[in-house]
Amino acid sequence: MKRTRIISSRTIALDNLQRAPNITAVLTYMKEKYKEYFQHGAEEGEAIVDAKWFKSMVNLRMLQFSNVRLEGDFKYIPAAVKWLQWRKCSLRSLPSVLLSREMAVLDLSQSKIESVSGWKWFWDRRKVKNKLVVLNLYNCYNLTAIPDLSGHKSLEKLILELCTSLKTVHKSIGSLDTLRHLNLRECSSLVEFPSDVSGLKLLEVLILSGCSQLKNLPRNIGSMNSL
């Protein structure tokens, strides 16, 4: 009788990782290696990844996650990462160590993030130029406020669409002279917008549709010459 060899999914994942080491292969292998832990320790559909797996990826520039719980010391994420997309992040606040000086795009859409209040402190403490160009907080439904963004001198695009718990927008937004796109669509709890927007000289797109609780528009909205 001919014997049939059964190859486990973990073996296949390891083989794929060895042949083509990339982030997809790493995540697949981690899921298989710790399958039982995933089933009991994670939320439905969420994978758990140890941050130290990225320690040797010194050339990593783009890191994209979705529905992943990153555990361990976040310092292992390479400081040279320019684009971090972490959708459906289950963290309540984002560790400031992830905000490297090279970060240009930060996408936390559909996340449970509640607070980003330590960001200004992080940049002030290091006295470095912030290179963040795009900040995407789409559908971060637990977010109630955004921090002082005055240190973000390169920010061009800010997406807050469907941040349904967002009540106020920090006054620093009115002075972001590099901002070109501001999306607040369906921020249904928003009641207050900065009264002074004289600094938004380059703003081309401002979306406020669905902000049903918003009391007033900026008094000097006419100063936004590029709108």
Side-chain angles (χ1 to χ4, degrees):
M1 180 182 289
K2 206 172 188 180
R3 292 185 178 179
T4 302
R5 183 187 175 194
I6 300 175
I7 303 176
S8 69
S9 55
R10 177 177 169 180
T11 301
I12 295 173
L14 177 60
D15 182 59
N16 289 336
L17 176 60
Q18 292 172 337
R19 286 189 292 104
N22 54 53
I23 185 60
T24 302
V26 168
L27 290 176
T28 302
Y29 176 67
M30 289 291 288
K31 286 180 183 178
E32 292 299 329
K33 184 177 181 180
Y34 299 107
K35 185 177 289 184
E36 290 185 8
Y37 182 57
F38 291 157
Q39 291 172 349
H40 297 91
E43 295 183 11
E44 184 177 357
E46 184 182 48
I48 299 176
V49 175
D50 193 327
K52 68 181 179 181
W53 273 76
F54 301 98
K55 183 179 180 180
S56 62
M57 300 182 184
V58 294
N59 295 317
L60 191 65
R61 296 295 181 270
M62 177 186 286
L63 181 56
Q64 293 180 303
F65 285 141
S66 182
N67 207 23
V68 165
R69 183 187 300 176
L70 196 61
E71 295 192 340
D73 198 329
F74 286 82
K75 71 179 182 181
Y76 291 126
I77 302 297
V81 170
K82 294 180 180 294
W83 186 320
L84 174 60
Q85 181 186 84
W86 193 352
R87 294 180 175 175
K88 298 183 180 180
C89 171
S90 59
L91 294 178
R92 296 298 188 264
S93 61
L94 189 71
S96 57
V97 71
L98 287 181
L99 301 174
S100 76
R101 66 185 65 186
E102 299 298 325
M103 188 81 68
V105 178
L106 179 59
D107 181 355
L108 296 172
S109 53
Q110 298 176 288
S111 297
K112 295 182 178 179
I113 198 92
E114 295 176 359
S115 171
V116 288
S117 57
W119 291 7
K120 188 176 187 296
W121 171 87
F122 175 80
W123 292 113
D124 287 348
R125 185 177 175 87
R126 285 156 179 77
K127 304 296 183 184
V128 296
K129 183 180 180 182
N130 189 338
K131 297 182 180 180
L132 194 65
V133 176
V134 178
L135 177 57
N136 186 358
L137 298 172
Y138 169 81
N139 199 18
C140 289
Y141 44 85
N142 289 329
L143 189 68
T144 58
I146 57 174
D148 186 342
L149 296 175
S150 57
H152 295 254
K153 301 299 185 181
S154 301
L155 192 63
E156 295 184 13
K157 190 170 186 176
L158 177 58
I159 301 172
L160 296 165
E161 182 178 353
L162 279 172
C163 291
T164 52
S165 297
L166 185 67
K167 296 179 179 179
T168 62
V169 175
H170 196 278
K171 63 181 182 180
S172 60
I173 281 186
S175 61
L176 295 178
D177 55 9
T178 57
L179 197 65
R180 296 179 180 273
H181 183 109
L182 177 57
N183 185 351
L184 290 155
R185 179 183 281 121
E186 298 298 335
C187 290
S188 54
S189 297
L190 185 66
V191 296
E192 188 175 336
F193 194 83
S195 57
D196 182 7
V197 292
S198 58
L200 296 175
K201 302 295 185 182
L202 297 181
L203 192 69
E204 298 172 353
V205 177
L206 174 61
I207 305 174
L208 294 169
S209 57
C211 297
S212 55
Q213 302 298 318
L214 189 61
K215 296 178 180 178
N216 297 299
L217 289 176
R219 63 174 181 268
N220 54 0
I221 193 171
S223 65
M224 292 190 276
N225 301 322
S226 299
L227 195 62

